[in-house]
């Protein structure tokens, strides 16, 4: 028998499975208070998913406010946080929308589908803004490369990202692959999508205009992904609970490709008033958010939803996270035109309800009312927790374990061997085994893609207007100091965008942490948010949106705190972009920025000594800003031929990567007064290597001097086929390449 | 000269193929899978992608799209047709070209800049190349392994119908390193690599792919 509102009012004492649905007792009580009666089963399903950590941000909200409060003044932001994705003005009437989102828990349970639907979900967010999705990136983290389970998760995730993105026809232009034992049972799959539209094409998710139709279109609703947001993404893994596989969604990229083209045609025909994608919490989320963002209410006849499985209960239909679905708000006059377009694309469509003036979200099932709520109480006024947070007792001990006493290489032979081992270490090694499984060419506008510092896309063929995007994050740095670690993630992504010649404009972030119920984890989170918000203020790049993923832990062990930051920059003409590789013999190599003895959290300490302690490299945001301006101006004026940021593994790794890109050689020398080991392997920030044509050398150094920015002439590009660290060691380029390129393939395919 | 580019549901490189036609100096005409005729175009490109989700078999459903009937007839009559990747698969499924494309021998999708040798310039799409010319264009596929029986392979070789061959490592297990073939008449060509992604130095590894499009345009002007 169906549980109606009427029945619920008559049976106040009927026991309900709020615990199984992931609600806490006080949250259930709050629902009783809001409704003045017990919720129906369908209402309980809606509240449980919408009030989950994943959907409601109930633990993170109080901290995330800083992104708004500290937002730097900017003219570039057209749509800020709170919509499906932020929108940035990039000039010439173009707007770009971008966002990164996690799909961590599903990707552990079912790597292929988890990762695939992570891509699918973020693409629909971008589409829902009215934009054509034009590229994806993915930021991936796994357990140790030599762990058996990594060999299950990594190939599955990569195949899933590729299988979905390739079939969708979106170039994959970059990202990260990082290994650390803390991600062993909690891999991180953060997917980013970027979309382009004209200013006037921006669409928002709201249901307004009494009488407008609510249309559900795309794939049919099935039994997959039920409870994905609540019981899967908002709890830690624990052996005692049943398998969560049924909570993972199953993707169909062909359906999504058709849906994209169909939506873009609907937008162009101007027959959509408001639109929302269906992701976490499915119809519960779409109806309650559209209704509460609108000016009235909504009435839905749930039996009109097209089903893949006719046995689904109303509660399951409301919670299903079946993929490739969209919900549109359509004026009655436009409905025929709307249906003509969906029919052209063979997209199944059902008119399931309409906008009302009641202020209530009412859902009927075959004529009986099963939901009658104020949509704001579902979508926006969920619980907000100020969870206790406290700097953990072990933090001091960790910071005291400085890496200064680790044995350091000093002779030329030792330095040479160190470089080759670092190049082959999983985090530094070439990721081509992964990226060669992604189409980076489709759509024909990819100007730079992995392994470049940032992906660069042309968005306007006529003017050459384009954008650059980079994502970065370093969990080890954040573990040592979450405030600084989050700033370092931003600094690196900002720098990576600038090395291509793009002017950094805006930020998206994916904050991956352990359980918010642990005060130490909550402290890491609070510090990271504070650090990121402060740094965004200094760099003038507002956070436009993103995602928080908590409960990334198994038992008591949390992942490294991992804020992943994506930065979007703009290039007025992509023909002026600067690639990372050295190309032209005779060009002079400069190191920009200051090198200090900084090895806390470094790749060297980790790969060579399994050491994590001390403090991360210091942050100097003013220097980052200055460096970025130099790189952007140098790129625009043709003063540099190559630029590469110096980060994991230090200068030696950066030089190697620049040499390997086009297979040239380089001679470099260690300046007087600095220890060769520190010079080659320190991870000091705000640095980049550039190749300068001799004809531009004076102009380039004059610019650096005028800005009082440290710059050292450290070498020359040549065609000798060697990396020659003069007076220390030489390594043939082929040997560098073998060291750099064999690690992943030989580990995964063994 | 007007060159049609067919869009099936799930076609992905259709806009890129259209761009390549324009860069080469032609006019690109969008054809829809449901079209009953070819709108009088002078040649047709079947682009890459995953038509109909590649369900059943790559190209197996596209073969039955309404636009394919006039296309097959016109191709038999000599209309220049280039199938790239999924388009190649569709041409094989349509029996305009022999053989089949199967899952890569290493079971993974592969995207890379591929060195190729042009083995035949006696086709509508390669007449502008030098015999034996080495070119680099992107390759990206999951099911790009070209297979055929021995007799067919020997026939293709003997008749000079192998159009391009992989150099360096064979990327997908294709028999005899075959990357592209043509029909007996030389008007229908199927390619696994993607010349449409190598037409601008800004976005491609080279501009070596442009020759496929300029070849057909020059041939049409001469005709």
């Amino acid at each position: 028998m169906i549980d109606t509102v009427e029945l619920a009012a008559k049976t106040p004492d009927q026991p309900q499975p709020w615990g199984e649905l992931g609600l806490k007792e006080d949250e259930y009580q709050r629902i009783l208070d809001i409704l003045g009666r017990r919720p129906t089963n369908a209402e309980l399903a809606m509240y449980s998913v919408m009030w989950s950590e994943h959907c409601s941000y109930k633990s993170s909200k109080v901290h995330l406010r800083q992104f708004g409060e500290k937002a730097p003044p900017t003219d570039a932001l057209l749509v800020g946080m709170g919509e499906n994705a932020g929108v940035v003005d990039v000039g010439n009437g173009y707007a770009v929308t971008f966002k990164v989102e996690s799909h961590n828990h599903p990707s552990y349970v079912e790597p292929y589908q988890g990762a695939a639907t992570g891509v699918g979900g973020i693409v629909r967010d971008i589409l829902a803004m009215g934009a054509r999705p034009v590229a994806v990136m993915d930021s991936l983290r796994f357990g140790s490369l030599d762990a058996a389970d990594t060999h299950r998760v990594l190939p599955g995730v990569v195949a899933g990202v590729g299988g979905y993105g390739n079939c969708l026809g979106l170039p994959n232009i970059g990202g990260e692959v990082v290994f650390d034992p803390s991600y062993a049972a909690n891999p991180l799959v953060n997917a980013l999508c970027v979309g382009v539209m004209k200013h006037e094409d921006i669409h928002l998710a709201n249901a307004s205009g009494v009488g407008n139709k609510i249309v559900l279109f795309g794939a049919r609703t099935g039994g997959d992904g039920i409870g994905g947001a609540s019981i899967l993404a908002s709890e830690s893994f624990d052996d005692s609970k049943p398998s969560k596989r049924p909570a993972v969604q199953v993707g169909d990229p062909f359906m999504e490709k058709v849906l994209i083209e169909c939506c873009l045609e609907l937008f162009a025909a101007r027959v959509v008033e408001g639109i929302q994608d269906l992701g976490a919490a499915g119809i519960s989320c779409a109806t309650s958010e559209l209704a509460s963002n609108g000016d009235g209410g909504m009435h839905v006849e749930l039996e009109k939803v097209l089903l893949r499985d006719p046995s689904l209960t109303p509660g399951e239909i409301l919670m299903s996270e079946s993929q490739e679905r969209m919900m549109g708000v359509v004026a009655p006059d436009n409905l025929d035109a709307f249906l003509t377009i969906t029919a052209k694309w063979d997209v199944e469509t059902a008119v399931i309800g309409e906008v009302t003036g009641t202020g209530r979200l009412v859902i009927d099932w075959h004529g009986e009312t099963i939901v009658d709520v104020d949509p704001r109480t579902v979508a926006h006024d969920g619980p907000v927790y100020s969870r206790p947070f406290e700097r953990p007792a072990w933090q001091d001990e960790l910071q005291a374990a400085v890496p200064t006493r680790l044995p350091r290489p000093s002779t030329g032979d030792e330095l040479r061997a160190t470089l080759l081992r670092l190049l082959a270490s999983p985090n530094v090694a070439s990721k081509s085994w992964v990226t060669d499984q992604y189409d980076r060419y489709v759509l024909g506008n990819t100007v730079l893609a992995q392994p470049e510092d940032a992906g660069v896309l042309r968005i306007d063929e006529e003017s050459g207007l384009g954008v650059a995007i980079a994502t970065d994050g370093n969990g080890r740095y954040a573990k040592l100091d979450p405030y600084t670690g989050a700033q370092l993630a931003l600094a690196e992504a900002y720098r990576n965008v600038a090395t291509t010649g793009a002017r950094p404009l805006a930020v998206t972030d994916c904050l991956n942490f352990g359980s918010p119920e642990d005060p130490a984890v909550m402290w890491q989170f609070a510090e990271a948010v504070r650090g990121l918000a402060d740094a965004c203020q200094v760099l003038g790049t507002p956070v436009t949106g993103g995602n928080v993923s908590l409960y990334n832990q198994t038992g008591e062990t949390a992942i490294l705190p991992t804020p992943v930051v994506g930065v979007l920059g703009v290039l007025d003409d992509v023909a002026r972009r600067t690639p990372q590789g050295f190309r032209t013999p005779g060009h002079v190599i400069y190191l920009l920025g200051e090198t200090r003895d900084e090895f806390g959290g470094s790749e060297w300490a980790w790969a060579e000594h399994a050491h994590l302690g001390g403090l991360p490299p210091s942050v100097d945001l003013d220097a980052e800003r200055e460096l970025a301006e130099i790189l952007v101006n140098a790129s625009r004026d043709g003063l540099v031929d190559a630029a590469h940021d110096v980060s994991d593994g230090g200068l030696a790794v950066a030089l190697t990567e620049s040499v390997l890109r086009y297979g040239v050689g380089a001679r470099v020398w260690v300046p007087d007064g600095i220890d060769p080991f520190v010079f080659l392997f320190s991870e000091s920030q705000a640095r980049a290597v550039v190749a300068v044509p001799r004809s531009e050398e004076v102009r380039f150094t004059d610019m650096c001097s005028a800005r009082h920015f440290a710059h050292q002439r450290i070498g020359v590009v040549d065609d000798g086929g060697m990396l020659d660290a003069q007076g220390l060691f030489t390594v043939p380029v082929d040997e560098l390449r073998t060291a750099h390129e064999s690690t992943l393939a030989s580990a995964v395919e063994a | 000269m007007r060159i049609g580019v067919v869009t099936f549901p799930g076609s992905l490189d259709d806009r890129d193929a259209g761009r390549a036609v324009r860069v080469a100096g032609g006019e690109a005409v969008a054809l829809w899978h449901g079209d009953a005729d070819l709108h009088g175009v002078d040649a047709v490109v079947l682009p890459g992608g995953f038509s109909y989700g590649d369900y059943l078999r790559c190209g197996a459903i596209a073969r039955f799209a309404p636009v394919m009937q006039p296309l097959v007839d016109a191709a038999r009559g000599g209309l220049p047709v280039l199938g790239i990747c999924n388009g190649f698969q569709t041409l094989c499924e349509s029996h305009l070209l022999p053989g089949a494309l199967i899952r890569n021998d290493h079971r993974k999708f592969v995207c890379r800049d591929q060195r190729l040798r042009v083995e035949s310039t006696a086709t509508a799409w390669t007449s502008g190349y030098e015999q034996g010319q080495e070119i680099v264009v992107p390759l990206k596929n999951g099911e790009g392994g070209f297979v055929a029986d021995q007799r067919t392979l020997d026939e293709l070789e003997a008749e000079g119908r192998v159009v391009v061959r992989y150099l360096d490592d064979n990327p997908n297990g294709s028999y005899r390193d075959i990357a592209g073939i043509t029909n007996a008449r030389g008007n229908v060509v199927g390619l696994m690599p993607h010349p449409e992604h190598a037409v601008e130095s800004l976005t491609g590894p080279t501009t070596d792919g442009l020759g496929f499009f300029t070849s057909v345009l020059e041939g049409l002007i001469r005709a």
Side-chain angles (χ1 to χ4, degrees):
Chain A
M1 187 167 105
I2 203 75
D3 191 23
T4 61
V5 169
E6 195 183 352
L7 185 66
K10 282 192 218 150
T11 54
D13 300 325
Q14 183 180 308
Q16 293 194 283
W18 46 267
E20 286 84 341
L21 292 170
L23 287 166
K24 300 285 193 287
E25 189 167 7
D26 56 331
E27 293 172 343
Y28 179 63
Q29 184 57 49
R30 193 157 157 199
I31 298 169
L32 298 178
D33 295 344
I34 287 171
L35 296 175
R37 57 172 166 80
R38 74 162 176 87
T40 64
N41 291 343
E43 287 167 341
L44 186 66
M46 287 184 84
Y47 278 106
S48 73
V49 285
M50 290 302 290
W51 285 14
S52 68
E53 187 64 57
H54 185 79
C55 291
S56 74
Y57 294 84
K58 58 191 170 191
S59 301
S60 55
K61 236 179 196 169
V62 294
H63 300 284
L64 298 176
R65 285 182 188 137
Q66 293 171 73
F67 292 141
E69 290 159 5
K70 296 179 185 172
T74 171
D75 301 332
L77 207 55
L78 299 173
V79 176
M81 280 184 298
E83 281 290 336
N84 282 310
V87 182
V88 180
D89 176 16
V90 294
N92 293 9
Y94 282 97
V96 169
T97 175
F98 74 126
K99 187 173 153 187
V100 60
E101 199 167 76
S102 65
H103 227 218
N104 302 339
H105 292 80
S107 300
Y108 177 63
V109 175
E110 177 63 63
Y112 185 97
Q113 291 297 345
T117 54
V119 175
I122 191 65
V123 168
R124 283 194 305 282
D125 271 342
I126 294 307
L127 177 63
M129 297 307 299
R132 172 177 281 280
V134 293
V136 294
M137 292 177 106
D138 55 309
S139 178
L140 309 177
R141 282 169 176 75
F142 303 100
S144 300
L145 181 55
D146 53 10
D149 198 46
T150 300
H151 298 186
R152 171 186 71 97
V153 179
L154 167 67
V157 165
V158 171
V161 169
Y164 205 97
N166 294 340
C167 191
L168 215 48
L170 294 178
N172 188 313
I173 58 169
E176 306 166 273
V177 182
V178 178
F179 300 92
D180 184 273
S182 77
Y183 304 118
N186 291 277
L188 303 186
V189 174
N190 294 177
L192 181 148
C193 182
V194 54
V196 176
M197 66 199 130
K198 291 291 201 158
H199 287 193
E200 61 271 22
D201 293 331
I202 296 173
H203 278 71
L204 298 177
N206 61 58
S208 298
V210 172
N212 282 346
K213 301 296 179 191
I214 305 301
V215 187
L216 183 63
F217 60 113
R220 288 181 167 232
T221 300
D224 58 327
I226 290 176
S230 48
I231 60 169
L232 181 55
S234 300
E235 285 184 21
S236 305
F237 288 117
D238 177 344
D239 287 343
S240 67
K241 291 181 187 156
S243 164
K244 294 179 173 180
R245 278 188 74 173
V248 179
Q249 313 85 337
V250 177
D252 176 358
F254 168 64
M255 185 68 233
E256 181 127 322
K257 168 65 180 171
V258 172
L259 196 56
I260 290 173
E261 299 302 331
C262 176
C263 282
L264 291 169
E265 199 166 324
L266 291 170
F267 296 150
R270 310 222 165 264
V271 293
V272 181
E273 307 301 314
I275 189 158
Q276 167 82 306
D277 68 300
L278 275 76
I283 296 175
S284 296
C285 178
T287 52
S288 62
E289 287 194 351
L290 280 170
S292 66
N293 293 342
D295 54 11
M298 188 186 289
H299 178 238
V300 171
E301 293 169 291
L302 197 62
E303 73 277 4
K304 293 194 171 161
V305 172
L306 300 172
L307 300 179
R308 230 177 275 170
D309 171 0
S311 72
L312 292 180
T313 66
E316 288 170 329
I317 295 169
L318 287 168
M319 288 169 82
S320 164
E321 296 183 6
S322 286
Q323 300 289 292
E324 294 96 22
R325 296 179 298 163
M326 302 289 279
M327 189 173 282
V329 181
V330 183
D333 290 350
N334 290 327
L335 190 60
D336 284 346
F338 185 101
L339 295 174
T340 304
I341 293 171
T342 53
K344 172 187 166 187
W345 288 96
D346 292 321
V347 168
E348 289 194 296
T349 308
V351 178
I352 64 165
E354 63 181 37
V355 178
T356 64
T358 63
R360 306 288 291 179
L361 171 59
V362 176
I363 300 179
D364 291 350
W365 178 252
H366 295 290
E368 295 188 281
T369 299
I370 57 168
V371 172
D372 183 353
V373 296
D374 174 350
R376 282 203 67 82
T377 65
V378 179
H380 293 297
D381 300 337
V384 176
Y385 295 139
S386 290
R387 293 195 186 272
F389 56 92
E390 190 179 5
R391 190 173 194 269
W394 46 259
Q395 196 75 32
D396 284 339
E397 206 179 315
L398 183 69
Q399 293 184 346
V402 292
T404 44
R405 264 181 291 169
L406 300 174
R408 297 178 168 196
S410 56
T411 67
D413 284 349
E414 287 169 357
L415 290 165
R416 184 184 196 277
T418 301
L419 172 59
L420 288 170
R421 283 195 303 270
L422 262 189
L423 289 175
S425 70
N427 289 335
V428 175
S430 163
K431 301 304 182 300
S432 59
W433 185 86
V434 172
T435 55
D436 283 356
Q437 297 185 52
Y438 304 151
D439 183 349
R440 59 182 176 275
Y441 282 110
V442 65
L443 299 184
N445 286 313
T446 306
V447 176
L448 294 176
Q450 62 266 14
E452 297 283 340
D453 287 349
V456 172
L457 293 170
R458 175 176 62 186
I459 61 176
D460 180 14
E461 286 188 41
E462 228 157 87
S463 65
L465 178 71
V467 294
I469 306 171
T471 65
D472 285 290
N474 188 319
R476 288 199 310 266
Y477 289 170
K479 174 103 181 217
L480 297 180
D481 182 346
Y483 179 88
T484 306
Q487 298 199 330
L488 289 169
L490 172 65
E492 185 174 351
Y494 179 91
R495 196 185 320 131
N496 276 328
V497 162
T499 55
T500 67
R503 193 159 34 86
L505 279 186
V507 168
T508 180
D509 61 345
C510 193
L511 305 172
N512 307 276
F513 289 78
S515 167
E517 295 162 38
D518 177 346
V521 169
M522 210 53 220
W523 173 79
Q524 293 173 329
F525 180 79
E527 284 292 286
V529 171
R530 191 169 67 84
L532 185 57
D534 287 350
C536 285
Q537 199 168 24
V538 176
L539 293 179
T541 49
V543 175
T544 60
N547 161 246
V548 175
S549 174
L550 301 175
Y551 294 98
N552 293 289
Q553 75 177 53
T554 302
E556 294 298 301
T557 316
I559 57 162
L560 292 176
T562 311
V564 169
V565 178
V567 170
L568 175 91
V570 65
L571 286 134
D572 295 331
D573 182 0
V574 286
R576 293 270 175 193
R577 88 290 187 200
T578 303
Q580 83 172 35
F582 298 150
R583 282 178 295 192
T584 316
H587 285 185
V588 186
I589 302 169
Y590 275 84
L591 172 64
L592 301 175
E594 286 176 34
T595 305
R596 293 174 288 270
D597 188 331
E598 294 182 297
F599 288 93
S602 68
E603 203 53 53
W604 170 78
W606 179 251
E608 291 281 277
H609 300 287
H611 179 274
L612 175 59
L615 287 171
S618 57
V619 179
D620 182 344
L621 296 171
D622 293 327
E624 297 286 0
R625 203 169 174 151
E626 197 69 46
L627 175 65
E629 284 178 17
I630 288 172
L631 290 166
V632 171
N633 289 341
S635 198
R636 186 196 57 214
D637 297 343
L639 303 185
V640 294
D641 179 57
H644 187 17
D645 101 298
V646 179
S647 55
D648 300 358
L651 177 65
V653 168
L655 287 168
T656 303
E657 288 169 347
S658 290
V659 163
L660 286 179
R661 196 77 175 99
Y662 301 107
V664 299
R667 269 179 295 133
V668 293
W669 47 84
V670 179
D672 290 340
I674 185 162
D675 173 65
F677 166 72
V678 172
F679 180 69
L680 291 172
F681 297 104
S682 165
E683 295 187 5
S684 290
Q685 300 289 300
R687 294 186 303 159
V689 281
V690 295
V692 182
R694 284 183 198 272
S695 57
E696 307 299 335
E697 201 175 350
V698 175
R699 282 174 70 200
F700 178 75
T701 54
D702 282 355
M703 177 171 70
C704 295
S705 302
R707 291 171 176 270
H708 304 291
F709 199 82
H711 55 287
Q712 285 177 300
R713 193 181 210 259
I714 60 160
V716 177
V717 180
D718 66 21
D719 52 5
M722 297 276 212
L723 178 62
D724 177 3
Q726 292 198 317
L728 293 171
F729 61 83
T730 60
V731 196
V733 168
D734 289 345
E735 196 176 344
L736 293 170
R737 194 179 298 284
T738 305
H740 193 231
E741 288 184 358
S742 8
T743 304
L744 248 63
S746 57
V748 180
E749 307 217 329
Chain B
M1 290 292 143
R2 301 169 74 242
I3 300 188
V5 177
V6 178
T7 298
F8 300 98
S11 288
L12 303 179
D13 301 302
D14 44 346
R15 300 202 304 171
D16 308 39
R19 183 191 293 112
V21 167
R22 287 192 298 276
V23 172
E27 181 192 344
V29 177
L31 301 178
W32 183 242
H33 68 109
D35 286 350
D37 69 85
L38 300 177
H39 301 285
V41 296
D42 302 300
V44 170
V45 179
L46 297 182
F50 293 73
S51 56
Y52 303 93
D54 274 353
Y55 294 134
L56 189 58
R57 252 189 347 264
C58 302
I61 302 177
R63 178 210 163 173
F64 293 103
V67 76
M68 287 304 290
Q69 194 52 54
L71 178 73
V72 168
D73 292 344
R76 296 224 160 93
L79 182 81
V81 177
L82 175 66
I84 303 169
C85 199
N86 197 229
F88 186 10
Q89 293 160 340
T90 305
L91 292 175
C92 290
E93 289 288 339
S94 306
H95 304 294
L96 285 172
L97 292 174
L101 285 311
I102 64 167
R103 185 165 292 280
N104 297 347
D105 55 354
H106 47 76
R107 326 305 282 173
K108 295 192 302 288
F109 188 94
V110 59
C111 175
R112 71 187 204 194
D113 300 337
Q114 179 68 43
R115 215 155 66 87
L116 302 167
R117 186 170 56 233
V118 179
E119 300 280 26
S120 167
T121 56
T123 80
W125 299 89
T126 54
S127 55
Y129 288 98
E130 300 287 327
Q131 184 78 27
Q133 186 176 340
E134 294 185 5
I135 61 174
V136 174
V137 304
L139 174 89
K140 41 172 204 157
N141 63 67
E143 304 192 24
F146 180 75
V147 296
D149 59 47
Q150 288 300 326
R151 212 188 60 188
T152 305
L153 291 169
D154 290 341
E155 224 172 77
L156 286 170
E157 301 273 13
E159 295 172 10
R161 289 166 54 196
V162 174
V163 178
V164 281
R165 220 184 285 270
Y166 298 116
L167 296 175
D168 308 325
D169 297 337
N170 183 325
N172 46 29
S174 291
Y175 288 180
R176 304 195 191 179
D177 299 332
I178 289 172
I181 58 171
T182 185
N183 62 348
R185 193 167 172 169
N187 63 311
V188 178
V189 169
L191 290 177
M192 248 310 130
H194 288 260
E196 80 281 18
H197 291 310
V199 297
E200 294 179 285
S201 56
L202 184 68
T203 54
T206 63
T207 54
D208 292 350
L210 198 54
F212 287 89
F213 303 94
T214 51
S215 291
V216 76
L217 287 169
E218 281 160 20
L220 289 167
I221 290 164
R222 276 198 307 272

